[in-house]
Amino acid sequence: MKIVEATDYKDMSRKAANVISAQVILFPRSVLGLATGSTPLGIYRQLIDWYRKGDVDFSGVSSVNLDEYCKLSPENPQSYHYYMKENFFRHININPKKTFVPNGLAEDIDAECRRYDKLIGDLGGIDLQLLGLGNTGHIGFNEPDESFDKTTHQVALKQKTISDNSRFFKSIDEVPKFAVTMGIKAIMQAKKILLVVSGDKKSEILEKTLYGPVTPAVPASILQLHPNVTVVADRSAMKAVHEKHPAKGAAL
Ligand code: GLP
């Protein structure tokens, strides 16, 4: 695991955007696994800026998103379809037909999950998977205590996740209770992983992710077993790592 410490959120966003743009420049037909949440917003802004300057071309890229809420239409501003379109896709030259997000409106959710796994397989797998880190240690919407070998599936969101994500909704009652998420298995099959973490609120869970036991109680801890992970975390997110592992911290 390669850990890159950034000074602050802006620096984290730039460094992570550099990793993604290098991937696209070197491999223009890359399949990017993309994430939502507030953490990646600065990365998307930076990539849009470099696209406008002519530095990076997304015309050959395909993308698969990690997750989507159940029962929100793609036009709902809180849906991840809407988030991706508004915050990234409509500003760059990616082919909309090559951008994929799970369908949380599907009548038959199990069939939708199987379709999504097949789609990832048909694309040849994910070349670079971007991940944020939930306060519960979730990646995508893989909540604590789920089995590590799940493929795409429906999840009941933990109360903590519902309350964390309520900041994007008018009231907590509007936050969906269920979501469809790519499973840990698909995430672990990505060739490269880029985990981005910002802020002191994530500091304890980041330390557990990087140096704690590999356990479903901290879903992101499985990343310790992946052969090609880059973590870009800002200084406040790295606080607990520095406190608990001064030797490792000093080596950064
Ligand atoms: C949501 C998403 C995750 C994301 C997490 C953290 O729950 N499903 O993919 O990593 O939020 O979000 P934030 O970056 O806003 O802290």
Side-chain angles (χ1 to χ4, degrees):
M1 203 181 261
K2 173 97 192 130
I3 302 173
V4 178
E5 182 168 334
T7 48
D8 54 17
Y9 178 75
K10 200 171 171 206
D11 187 37
M12 179 211 75
S13 303
R14 247 180 116 86
K15 285 183 161 66
N18 262 300
V19 174
I20 297 173
S21 71
Q23 172 74 31
V24 174
I25 290 166
L26 293 171
F27 308 100
R29 301 184 67 77
S30 288
V31 178
L32 299 180
L34 297 178
T36 53
S38 46
T39 314
L41 285 171
I43 300 174
Y44 295 141
R45 274 196 295 271
Q46 182 62 76
L47 289 171
I48 292 165
D49 184 45
W50 286 336
Y51 161 69
R52 288 186 177 143
K53 288 179 175 149
D55 289 347
V56 56
D57 171 10
F58 293 94
S59 60
V61 166
S62 305
S63 72
V64 279
N65 259 77
L66 281 168
D67 47 15
E68 178 58 291
Y69 289 115
C70 288
K71 304 220 184 315
L72 288 192
S73 86
E75 289 76 41
N76 186 314
Q78 308 309 336
S79 75
Y80 289 164
H81 277 83
Y82 190 93
Y83 170 111
M84 289 310 300
K85 196 168 157 204
E86 285 305 306
N87 293 306
F88 196 34
F89 297 152
R90 76 180 181 87
H91 305 283
I92 58 170
N93 66 337
I94 195 166
N95 178 349
K97 293 200 180 102
K98 294 203 288 186
T99 64
F100 303 98
V101 181
N103 176 11
L105 290 178
E107 294 268 312
D108 182 342
I109 287 286
D110 286 342
E112 168 59 11
C113 293
R114 288 193 300 275
R115 182 193 72 86
Y116 207 67
D117 286 328
K118 180 170 184 311
L119 183 137
I120 297 170
D122 290 348
L123 287 168
I126 297 165
D127 294 305
L128 176 64
Q129 175 66 57
L130 173 64
L131 294 175
L133 180 64
N135 284 314
T136 60
H138 71 222
I139 44 180
F141 267 135
N142 291 280
E143 294 280 34
D145 301 323
E146 284 201 69
S147 137
F148 277 149
D149 56 31
K150 282 199 175 162
T151 51
T152 303
H153 61 288
Q154 186 175 34
V155 275
L157 301 178
K158 296 268 183 203
Q159 202 48 44
K160 170 91 181 103
T161 299
I162 292 175
S163 91
D164 283 349
N165 289 1
S166 66
R167 67 191 195 277
F168 299 112
F169 292 78
K170 279 200 207 93
S171 87
I172 193 162
D173 301 331
E174 287 184 17
V175 185
K177 311 281 181 291
F178 293 90
V180 178
T181 185
M182 208 187 273
I184 296 280
K185 196 173 177 183
I187 294 173
M188 287 299 280
Q189 281 169 354
K191 293 174 192 94
K192 294 176 209 159
I193 290 181
L194 173 61
L195 175 71
V196 290
V197 193
S198 171
D200 55 1
K201 284 203 192 108
K202 300 271 176 78
S203 164
E204 296 290 333
I205 196 70
L206 178 61
E207 188 278 329
K208 289 194 180 111
T209 296
L210 300 181
Y211 299 112
V214 174
T215 161
V218 181
S221 63
I222 189 78
L223 299 176
Q224 293 176 33
L225 305 182
H226 190 282
N228 194 332
V229 178
T230 302
V231 181
V232 184
D234 63 17
R235 198 168 285 157
S236 11
M238 289 293 284
K239 195 163 155 252
V241 169
H242 287 303
E243 281 167 8
K244 294 186 185 167
H245 311 275
K248 288 190 176 104
L252 286 168

